Each structure stands twice: as C-alpha cells, then as structure tokens.
C-alpha cells in the first residue's frame, strides 16, 4: 500500500516537474521571440513558394533553437524579405506591403507567434519544416550562442493564410 | 424598431463595402516570348510594312517547335492562376486569331465610307490582345561542362507601352540538371519578386487611377476640325482638354499631340470604379471615354468611339 502511494506521489511529482519545465521553456521561447534577434541566409528555392533558409538565432538556450528558428524564419518572410545570395538565391520580397504591419496587427501576430507547438494548426509552425536543428553553434558572449538551423518555409501557404485573415492584400484584391 | 433600422444600415454598408472592393475590371494577362528570343531562335518572319522592312515574331512556329517555351508559359500561367489571375493562353489566342482570317485592316466610316487619316490598325497588335503582356526570354550559357540560365521576365502594359514589372537574373551553374528543370527553377525563383512589383503597380492604379491612352481623330469629310471655335468659348481641342481636366483623377493627363485633325493623350488617369444606379462598377477606357463622347454629342458633334482592350480609346469626330 505504502509502495503504491509512494509510486503515485513520484508520478505526480514527475508530471508536475515536466509541466513546469515545458512552461519554463515556453516562457523562455516567448521571451527570446520578443527580441527577434536573428540573421537569415537564403539557401535556395526547390519549388515555387517553398524557400530553404538557414536561420542564425542568438539564443541563451540551445534546446529552443528549433522552435525559435521556425519563428524567426516566418518572421523574416513576412516582415523583412530575404536577401539575394549570389546566383544561388534571388531576392524574396517581404509578404508585408506596409512597414507598420506588425504594429497594426499586433494582437494577431502575438497569438500567431505564441509557442504552442505543432498541435495548433493556426500557429507559425504549420508553415515551417526544420531540416536540421543545429547546423552551427558559436559562442558569441558569456551566455549567448549563435545557432544555425536549416528550415524550409511554405511561403505560398503562409501568404494564403494571411490573405484569408485580411492581414495582407492578395494580388487580385480590388478587381 | 430603431435597432432594426441600425442593423439594416450596417448590413447595407457592409454590402456596399464588399461590392466596392470587388468590382474594378481585372486586366487580362498573357505570356509571350520576347521578340529578341524569337529572333535568336529563328522564329521570325521578315515583312515589308509599307516600305519598311522588319522582322515580326512567329509565335505559332515557336510554340510548335520549342517544347521549353510551352513549359515556361504553362508554369507562369499556373503561378498566376494561383494568385487569382487566369492568364490567356497564347496558343489558344493564336488559334482564335487564325479563325478570324478576315480581320478588318482599315476602319471606314459607316455612313460616308470616308477613311481615317492615320495608319491602319496593326495586325500584329491584334495577336496580343491582353491588357498586360508578360514578355519573357532566356539564354543558356553552356561551357560544355556546366549550364547556366539567364532569365528575363517583363510585364508590359499593352496600351501605355510602359514596363510595369520586371525580374531578371542568372541562375547558379549546374552540370547535372536538364534544361527544362533549370528553366522551371528560373521561373519559380523569380516569380515572387515579379508579382510583388506587379502588385505595387496595381496598388498605384487604385491610388492614383489607371493609366490609359486617348486619341481624337477627325473624319476627313467633316466640315470642322479641332481648331474650330463654333462649339463654345474656345477651340474644340481646348474644350476637350477642359473636359479631361475635370474627369481625370487629380486632373492628371499629358497632351502628346494636338493638331487640327488629331489629338493624342497619354498617362490619362481614370478612376478604377464608378457608380451607376447605386452600384459600384468597374471603369475602363471605353466607359470613361463615353462621357467625353456624350459631352461632344451635346455640342452637336456626331462621333464614333472605338476601343482597344481596357486601356485605349479613340474618338472619331464627324460621323459614326
């Protein structure tokens, strides 16, 4: 009897710790997100509407590299555009037509970039596929690392979603 | 009761907004190979156009003999339709033109048989009847080991002749992929930038008005001309310009030619939509120039209005 009670107590404790850990991770990821501290390198475009990108995220914790790189890639595609990379990659204009889009739709993007994992289909992660979580890892300060992650972003699908949500205008809007 | 009225007002407003955002006339697009590409690949024919020798592209021959061309056109058409624009297929359009073998070469007055004092309508332009022509060409740099594709795609407003979108560049050298694959990659990697610049043009149209051309011609048997002062307090040509001032977006237009028998206006900015019977409708050069036609009719000038697609209108004064 005592053994069973002990087992149940340990089980509850483990579940609780795991939950707390995942909450901490989520909080960490959201804190890192707010900084938008990253660099993007275009690797190529295998087919129309899917970009292959290498994201360099400046992070304190390597364990959130995958999720953070996904957010950064989507953020760059929407707001910054992707620079050309020699003959390897042509310039990709940002999906946002206005420089104030992020502040105009702050509420939408706060929810959009929330770290919910792949279960929420409306979340940023729906549009990203992480090919290699950590390709490079350089210590840039006492506590920070510059972590490279290889991802693909389904820009065509992302554009459709933002058009349907009336965040960006479609090419044929007004006609 | 008051609440019902409010609800009704909200619904009507929403409907009006919805209608007003979806009624502007959509330009038609068509992808064609560039003249230089046709010339370099031998798909041209030398013709004598009233004493001027020139090469004209033979699209039909190019489509029949070059399978890569069909591939590129199909790919661009597919990407355009994904973005809500169904492009006209060059091959299908050429077949239509062939069917209309007896295409009218010269315009003649219906009543008097008088001829217009201008060059005949160019038969070539009839082949490319779209509002926006997407002109593309590519060159292959092959050094024996590696292949590289240089690709150019330009969007041309067929009626103003202006380049409204472009993308170009050379892809990475490749020694294993077949040419069709390299071409596919060239299109897919450049289309986003191209469509973004096309969107900027469309935004400009909605903001500052769509650019069209307007021509005024005079039948040679009409007793008056554009310098006549019998229709108001000024010469007819200036009266027409006054009308343009009042009816263009921000009064924006450029008078290119103003002579006794003809006037040409370019960069004429017309609104994208207009209201009729409480409904918002799409405006094109014809609808807009109909206003000028009616204005001239009120002065007692019988006129004939012809159009060339959405963006070019010509008024012939003197008779129908």
């Amino acid at each position: 009897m005592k053994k069973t009670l002990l087992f149940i107590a340990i089980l509850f404790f483990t579940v609780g710790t795991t939950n707390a850990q995942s909450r901490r991770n989520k909080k960490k990821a959201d804190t890192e997100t707010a900084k938008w501290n990253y660099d993007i390198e275009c690797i190529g475009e295998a087919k129309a509407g899917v970009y292959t990108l290498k994201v360099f995220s400046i992070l304190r914790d390597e364990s959130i590299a995958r999720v953070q790189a996904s957010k950064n890639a989507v953020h760059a595609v929407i707001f910054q555009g992707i620079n050309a990379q020699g003959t390897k990659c042509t310039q990709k204009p940002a999906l946002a037509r206005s420089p104030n889009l992020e502040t105009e739709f702050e509420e939408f993007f706060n929810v959009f970039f929330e770290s919910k994992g792949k279960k929420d289909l409306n979340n940023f992660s729906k549009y990203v596929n992480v090919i290699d979580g950590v390709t490079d890892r350089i210590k840039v300060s006492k506590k920070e690392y510059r972590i490279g992650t290889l991802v693909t972003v389904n820009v065509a699908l992302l554009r459709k979603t933002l058009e349907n949500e009336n965040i960006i205008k479609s090419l044929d809007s007004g006609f | 009761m008051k609440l019902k009225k409010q609800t009704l007002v909200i619904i009507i407003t929403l409907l009006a907004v919805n209608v007003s955002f979806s009624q502007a006339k959509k330009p038609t697009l068509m992808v064609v190979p560039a003249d230089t590409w046709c010339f370099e690949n031998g798909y041209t024919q030398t013709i004598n156009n009233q004493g001027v020798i020139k090469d004209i592209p033979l699209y039909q021959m190019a489509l029949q003999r070059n399978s890569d061309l069909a591939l590129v056109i199909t790919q661009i058409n597919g990407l355009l339709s994904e973005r809500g624009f169904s492009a006209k297929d060059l091959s299908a359009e050429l077949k239509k033109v062939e069917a209309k073998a007896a295409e009218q070469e010269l315009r003649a007055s219906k009543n008097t048989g008088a001829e217009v004092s201008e060059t005949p309508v160019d038969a070539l332009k009839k082949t490319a009847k779209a509002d926006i022509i997407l002109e593309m060409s590519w060159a292959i740099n092959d050094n024996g080991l590696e292949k590289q594709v240089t690709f150019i795609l330009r969007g041309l407003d067929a009626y103003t002749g202006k380049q409204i979108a472009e993308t170009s560049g050379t892809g990475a050298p490749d020694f294993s992929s077949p040419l069709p694959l390299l071409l596919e990659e060239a299109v897919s990697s450049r289309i986003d930038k191209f469509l973004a610049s096309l969107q900027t043009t469309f935004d400009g149209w909605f903001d500052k008005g769509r650019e069209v051309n307007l021509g005024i011609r005079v039948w040679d048997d009409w007793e008056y001309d554009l310098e006549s002062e019998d229709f108001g307090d000024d010469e007819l040509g200036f009266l027409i310009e006054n009308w343009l001032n009042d009816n263009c977006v921000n009064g924006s237009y450029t008078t290119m030619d103003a002579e006794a028998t003809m006037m040409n206006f370019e960069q004429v900015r017309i609104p994208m939509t207009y209201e009729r019977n409480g409904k918002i409708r799409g405006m094109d050069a014809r609808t807009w120039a109909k206003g000028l036609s009616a204005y001239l009719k009120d002065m007692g000038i019988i006129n004939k209005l012809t159009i060339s697609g959405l963006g070019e209108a010509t008024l012939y004064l003197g008779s129908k």
Side-chain angles (χ1 to χ4, degrees), chain B:
Chain B
M1 189 62 191
K2 199 182 172 188
L3 192 72
K4 263 187 182 174
K5 259 188 184 174
Q6 278 177 348
T7 318
L8 199 67
V9 167
I10 291 168
I11 290 170
I12 289 169
T13 315
L14 283 176
L15 275 175
V17 168
N18 189 32
V19 165
S20 69
F21 276 120
S22 58
Q23 290 298 303
K25 286 202 174 162
K26 198 182 258 194
T28 53
L29 284 78
M30 185 159 73
V31 187
V32 300
D35 289 4
T36 45
W37 183 88
C38 290
F39 186 75
E40 279 167 11
N41 290 280
Y43 308 127
T44 51
Q45 185 187 16
T46 307
I47 59 152
N48 185 339
N49 185 13
Q50 295 179 346
V52 181
I53 308 290
K54 63 177 189 178
D55 289 315
I56 57 159
L58 291 176
Y59 297 145
Q60 190 74 56
M61 188 203 259
L63 282 167
Q64 280 168 347
R65 297 191 185 172
N66 194 313
S67 57
D68 293 334
L69 177 64
L71 173 98
V72 174
I73 290 180
T74 310
Q75 201 192 356
I76 298 176
N77 284 355
L79 291 166
L80 284 171
S81 92
E82 263 177 34
R83 304 288 290 272
F85 280 87
S86 45
K88 282 186 173 183
D89 183 55
L90 176 63
S91 166
E93 290 304 308
L94 286 172
K95 276 175 194 157
K96 267 191 214 168
V97 172
E98 263 179 26
K100 289 180 193 168
E103 195 74 67
Q104 190 183 333
E105 286 282 334
L106 290 163
R107 292 190 188 281
S109 168
K110 202 198 290 177
N111 295 345
T112 63
E115 288 181 1
V116 187
S117 53
E118 64 158 13
T119 55
V121 180
D122 196 351
L124 259 181
K125 277 192 180 172
K126 285 186 176 169
T127 314
K129 252 182 177 172
D131 301 304
I132 296 171
I133 304 287
L134 271 57
E135 201 184 74
M136 45 97 191
S137 69
W138 67 85
I140 301 136
N141 319 315
D142 192 346
N143 65 7
L145 269 176
E146 294 173 325
K147 283 194 287 279
Q148 244 181 329
V149 172
T150 302
F151 191 81
I152 303 169
L153 181 61
R154 301 199 303 155
L156 302 168
D157 193 336
Y159 307 108
T160 59
K162 281 189 177 175
Q163 179 175 302
I164 53 171
E166 65 79 34
T167 181
S168 62
T170 304
D174 194 305
F175 61 88
S176 58
S177 306
L179 182 64
L181 204 67
L182 290 178
L183 279 171
E184 267 188 55
E185 202 186 298
V187 174
S188 63
S189 64
R190 283 175 182 84
I191 200 78
D192 280 348
K193 188 174 168 243
F194 178 81
L195 293 178
S197 55
L198 198 61
Q199 188 152 29
T200 308
T201 304
F202 291 162
D203 289 348
W205 285 357
F206 282 102
D207 196 25
K208 297 175 199 155
R210 165 126 210 225
E211 233 179 273
V212 300
N213 291 341
L214 174 71
I216 309 284
R217 301 286 182 274
V218 175
W219 295 118
D220 56 7
D221 60 348
W222 193 40
E223 55 187 303
Y224 303 101
D225 60 25
L226 294 166
E227 287 172 356
S228 305
E229 293 188 25
D230 304 55
F231 302 101
D233 52 3
D234 211 336
E235 290 180 11
L236 180 57
F238 286 108
L239 293 177
I240 290 172
E241 282 190 313
N242 288 345
W243 186 90
L244 256 80
N245 246 326
D246 296 339
N247 289 278
C248 291
V249 177
N250 301 325
S252 176
Y253 68 93
T254 309
T255 310
M256 295 305 287
D257 303 293
E259 288 168 26
T261 54
M262 57 92 89
M263 288 180 99
N264 281 326
F265 301 99
E266 287 185 5
Q267 300 181 70
V268 179
R269 295 279 189 169
I270 66 165
M272 293 293 281
T273 54
Y274 70 104
E275 199 183 319
R276 189 183 159 89
N277 299 334
K279 280 185 183 171
I280 304 291
R281 295 182 179 192
M283 178 80 93
D284 58 11
R286 180 170 169 265
T287 319
W288 179 81
K290 221 174 136 193
L292 177 60
S293 168
Y295 170 72
L296 294 169
K297 230 176 248 173
D298 286 347
M299 290 180 186
I301 303 170
I302 303 169
N303 59 73
K304 178 189 179 82
L305 172 62
T306 64
I307 50 135
S308 174
L310 293 180
E312 188 161 313
T314 311
L315 274 172
Y316 298 88
L317 311 187
S319 60
K320 278 276 181 193

Side-chain angles (χ1 to χ4, degrees), chain A residues 16-80:
Chain A
T17 315
T18 317
N19 272 344
Q21 179 66 33
S22 77
R23 270 202 304 274
R24 269 199 299 278
N25 275 349
K26 180 185 173 306
K27 204 179 168 189
K28 242 188 240 174
D30 285 338
T31 315
E32 291 293 344
T33 304
K35 295 181 196 164
W36 294 121
N37 198 354
Y38 66 87
D39 301 311
I40 293 269
E41 187 187 314
C42 185
I43 300 296
E45 192 175 2
K47 67 180 199 109
V50 180
Y51 303 164
T52 307
L53 306 169
K54 197 168 192 181
V55 188
F56 295 97
S57 315
I58 314 292
L59 297 169
R60 284 168 171 249
D61 183 358
E62 195 182 306
S63 67
I64 58 165
R66 288 175 77 94
V67 68
Q68 200 52 42
S70 304
K71 285 184 190 183
N72 290 342
V74 172
H75 186 267
V77 167
I78 299 175
F79 302 109
Q80 295 190 352

